[in-house]
């Protein structure tokens, strides 16, 4: 049976490898990106180029978006040249960007008004997960819609249905709270050790072997104390996610004091010009408060 034709919108760090996997998985594809040159690698692999989001929707049975933030998703779906202008009833819409759960529900409600089922499906696993098709995919929506999308998701990684519309974005927000606070806790531990004269290498080694062990320490601990802050995930994206978390906390009347602190610390990163460093570089803010650097040999 012929595979459904996919319209893919947003061909950045994540979208380009994801679209490539779907194309290689046998889905005919039409692609669109705000900066037109980014469609060229996909067109070279056999995709068609769309003129705008409306055109992509008119030519697709499934539309997937992987853009930046909530306003981008509103523009892609609800704009004058948006997906909902062109999508026929029954077209499956999947937004895989990380955005506000509140906006995810708003867009899905508008889509339902046009007869289009919609899923929110943000991911974790970073650019490496996108390239290796090992993303963790957190999905919000109706179970039968999830089942229709499952074969597409399985070309990209492992999907989990988290609940109704918006639940995928909520779980992604939970993920980003935990990751930010792990980095901040690790930073404070390293700074106290350094200030007291203990080698940061010893702190990482001992904490990694006990109850304080965490994946962020496993992946980033040694690189932090080497002063290597090349991005996997940029601090300004994590700041965006902390804004989403604060908006969700307000919408659901939820008090998240540690997330509020994390928001301020990441705000300080951007103010210092560190927004394009990896999010582990939040240690630079904690270090500056105590006038110390937690590096090897100090
Ligand atoms: P990115 O490299 O900035 O890619 C986003 C793409 O969307 C850009 O190519 C951008 O076009 C395009 N775009 C934005 N608005 C558009 C519009 N209205 N119409 C058409 N195209 C539009 O970002 P990314 O790293 O791929 O991240 C995408 C999403 O995944 C974000 O929500 C991010 O938080 C999330 N995420 C990222 C990672 C990661 O490690 N990078 C991990 C997990 C989740 P331009 O070329 O014109 O800017």
């Amino acid at each position: 049976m012929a595979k459904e034709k996919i319209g893919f919108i947003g061909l950045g760090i994540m979208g380009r490898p994801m679209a490539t996997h779907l194309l290689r998985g046998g889905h005919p594809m039409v692609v669109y990106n705000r900066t037109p040159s980014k469609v060229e690698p996909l067109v070279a692999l056999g995709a068609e180029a769309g003129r705008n989001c409306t055109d992509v929707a008119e030519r697709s049975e499934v539309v997937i978006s992987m853009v930046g933030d909530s306003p981008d998703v509103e523009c892609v779906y609800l704009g004058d040249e948006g997906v909902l202008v062109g999508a026929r009833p029954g077209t499956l819409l999947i937004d895989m960007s990380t955005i506000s759960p509140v906006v995810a529900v708003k867009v899905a409600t508008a889509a339902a008004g046009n007869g289009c089922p919609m899923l929110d499906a943000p991911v974790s696993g970073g650019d490496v997960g996108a390239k290796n098709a090992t993303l963790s995919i957190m999905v919000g929506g109706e179970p039968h819609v999830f089942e229709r999308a499952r074969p597409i998701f399985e070309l990209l990684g492992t999907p989990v249905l988290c609940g109704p519309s918006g639940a995928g974005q909520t779980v992604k927000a939970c993920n980003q709270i935990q990751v930010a606070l792990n980095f901040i806790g690790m930073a404070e531990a390293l700074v106290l050790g350094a200030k007291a004269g203990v080698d940061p290498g010893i702190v990482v080694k001992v904490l990694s072997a006990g109850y304080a062990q965490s994946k962020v320490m496993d992946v980033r601990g040694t690189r932090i104390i080497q002063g290597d802050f090349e991005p996997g995930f940029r601090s300004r994206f994590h700041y965006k996610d902390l804004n989403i978390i604060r908006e969700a906390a307000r919408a659901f009347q939820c008090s998240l004091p540690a997330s509020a602190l994390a928001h301020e610390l990441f705000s300080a990163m951007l103010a210092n010009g560190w927004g394009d460093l990896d999010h582990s570089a939040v240690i630079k803010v904690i270090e500056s408060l105590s006038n110390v650097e937690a590096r090897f040999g100090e």
Side-chain angles (χ1 to χ4, degrees), residues 9-18 32-38 53 65-77 96-99 122-128 135 172 176 232-234 236-238 240-241 244:
I9 299 170
L11 300 165
I13 292 174
M14 299 294 285
R16 177 178 164 180
M18 291 165 68
Y32 176 70
N33 190 80
R34 186 173 53 197
T35 302
S37 59
K38 290 192 184 174
C53 297
S65 51
M66 191 55 166
V67 293
D69 199 355
S70 302
D72 302 315
V73 172
E74 289 183 292
C75 172
V76 163
Y77 287 93
M96 303 191 76
S97 329
T98 301
I99 65 161
V123 303
S124 78
D127 57 329
V128 174
L135 293 169
K172 174 70 183 181
Q176 295 303 79
F233 189 66
R234 292 177 203 282
R236 60 186 165 84
F237 280 150
H238 212 134
K240 167 195 69 119
D241 294 348
I244 289 169

Side-chain angles (χ1 to χ4, degrees), residues 260-281:
L261 173 63
H263 176 270
E264 293 309 301
L265 294 170
F266 275 79
S267 172
M269 293 182 76
L270 269 62
N272 279 282
W274 299 330
D276 283 315
L277 298 183
D278 187 71
H279 47 168
S280 57

Side-chain angles (χ1 to χ4, degrees), residues 1-293:
M1 202 171 77
K3 296 202 173 176
E4 288 184 301
K5 184 168 180 179
I6 294 176
F8 204 106
I9 299 170
L11 300 165
I13 292 174
M14 299 294 285
R16 177 178 164 180
M18 291 165 68
T20 302
H21 286 302
L22 297 174
L23 198 55
R24 292 196 168 131
H27 287 276
M29 185 171 285
V30 51
V31 292
Y32 176 70
N33 190 80
R34 186 173 53 197
T35 302
S37 59
K38 290 192 184 174
V39 306
E40 285 161 15
L42 276 299
V43 170
L45 291 174
E48 302 163 18
R51 286 192 309 281
N52 54 38
C53 297
T54 300
D55 181 45
V56 167
E58 282 169 349
R59 294 157 67 181
S60 305
E61 295 159 288
V62 179
V63 175
I64 298 177
S65 51
M66 191 55 166
V67 293
D69 199 355
S70 302
D72 302 315
V73 172
E74 289 183 292
C75 172
V76 163
Y77 287 93
L78 310 179
D80 290 343
E81 295 185 337
V83 168
L84 292 191
V85 177
R88 293 176 299 277
T91 302
L92 170 59
L93 311 180
I94 307 172
D95 177 45
M96 303 191 76
S97 329
T98 301
I99 65 161
S100 155
V102 177
V103 174
V105 172
K106 175 182 157 186
V107 176
T109 303
N114 283 28
C116 297
M118 184 157 189
L119 301 171
D120 47 290
V123 303
S124 78
D127 57 329
V128 174
K131 283 181 192 134
N132 295 342
T134 55
L135 293 169
S136 168
I137 307 170
M138 297 155 259
V139 187
E142 296 292 325
H144 69 280
V145 181
F146 174 74
E147 289 308 325
R148 177 175 165 192
R150 185 195 287 278
I152 292 173
F153 288 142
E154 287 177 345
L155 291 170
L156 304 174
T158 305
V160 174
L161 181 61
C162 300
S165 181
Q169 294 294 353
T170 300
V171 174
K172 174 70 183 181
C174 299
N175 184 77
Q176 295 303 79
I177 292 173
Q178 180 86 347
V179 173
L181 295 180
N182 271 335
F183 275 125
I184 292 164
M186 180 168 48
E188 291 199 356
L190 285 166
V191 164
L192 175 62
K195 198 78 186 182
V198 179
D199 188 320
I202 298 289
V203 176
V204 168
K205 184 177 175 187
V206 174
L207 270 56
S208 297
Y211 209 35
Q213 183 271 345
S214 68
K215 185 147 186 177
V216 297
M217 183 174 273
D218 290 349
V219 173
R220 281 280 165 182
T222 302
R223 290 169 72 175
I224 288 171
I225 62 180
Q226 290 171 340
D228 174 3
F229 299 114
E230 273 299 303
F233 189 66
R234 292 177 203 282
S235 300
R236 60 186 165 84
F237 280 150
H238 212 134
Y239 179 66
K240 167 195 69 119
D241 294 348
L242 286 158
N243 277 314
I244 289 169
I245 290 158
R246 280 163 67 94
E247 186 188 323
R250 271 195 298 277
F252 298 114
Q253 296 195 331
C254 187
S255 177
L256 302 175
S259 296
L261 173 63
H263 176 270
E264 293 309 301
L265 294 170
F266 275 79
S267 172
M269 293 182 76
L270 269 62
N272 279 282
W274 299 330
D276 283 315
L277 298 183
D278 187 71
H279 47 168
S280 57
V282 71
I283 193 171
K284 289 165 72 69
V285 178
I286 308 288
E287 288 171 336
S288 67
L289 295 173
S290 295
N291 191 29
V292 70
E293 283 194 339

